[in-house]
Amino acid sequence: QVQLVESGGGLVQAGGSLRLSCVASGRTGSVYAMGWFRQAPGKEREFVAAISSSGIRTFYADSAKGRFTISRDNAKNTVYLQMNSLKPEETAVYYCAGGPTSQGITQVRVDYWGKGTLVTVSS
């Protein structure tokens, strides 16, 4: 089993930035590809970004390209999501996810989920 715990959410004004963190614990979380999803009120959960276990490959949703950056520190079993130029419509609960491959995560092939961290973007 792998446990994922997110942090870094909060309230930010439109155009602002936040950095989310996700710490993996349990059975060698660093061997997993990791990713971020989000779920806005009344909407389905959607893919945001993914990164391979080595950190070499990354994938982004079109809405995140150019503004969000996913990274990881395997020594700390931590994955990050740097979010810039945030928009009010990006208010959502952001979830960390772990799976076998980063490309698979883009297709919601996820083995583990965190409980989420709330990001609120005010206009």
Side-chain angles (χ1 to χ4, degrees):
Q1 281 290 87
V2 175
Q3 292 78 42
L4 304 175
V5 179
E6 304 96 334
S7 62
L11 175 64
V12 63
Q13 288 188 331
S17 299
L18 277 177
R19 188 177 81 153
L20 305 182
S21 300
C22 172
V23 178
S25 61
R27 294 184 61 184
T28 54
S30 63
V31 303
Y32 285 90
M34 301 292 291
W36 291 93
F37 290 73
R38 65 188 179 192
Q39 187 166 17
K43 295 189 176 181
E44 293 187 354
R45 193 173 298 188
E46 64 176 1
F47 166 75
V48 176
I51 188 167
S52 62
S53 57
S54 65
I56 292 176
R57 297 188 74 189
T58 57
F59 296 88
Y60 294 93
D62 287 344
S63 59
K65 288 178 182 176
R67 297 185 299 120
F68 291 9
T69 302
I70 189 170
S71 61
R72 69 188 296 160
D73 183 342
N74 284 346
K76 296 181 179 180
N77 285 341
T78 302
V79 63
Y80 305 97
L81 184 68
Q82 176 67 43
M83 305 186 292
N84 299 327
S85 302
L86 282 161
K87 306 173 183 179
E89 55 265 37
E90 294 179 311
T91 293
V93 177
Y94 284 70
Y95 296 92
C96 181
T101 69
S102 50
Q103 188 166 16
I105 287 177
T106 70
Q107 300 167 2
V108 204
R109 294 175 189 166
V110 170
D111 292 335
Y112 301 104
W113 292 98
K115 293 184 177 180
T117 185
L118 176 63
V119 172
T120 303
V121 185
S122 64
S123 56

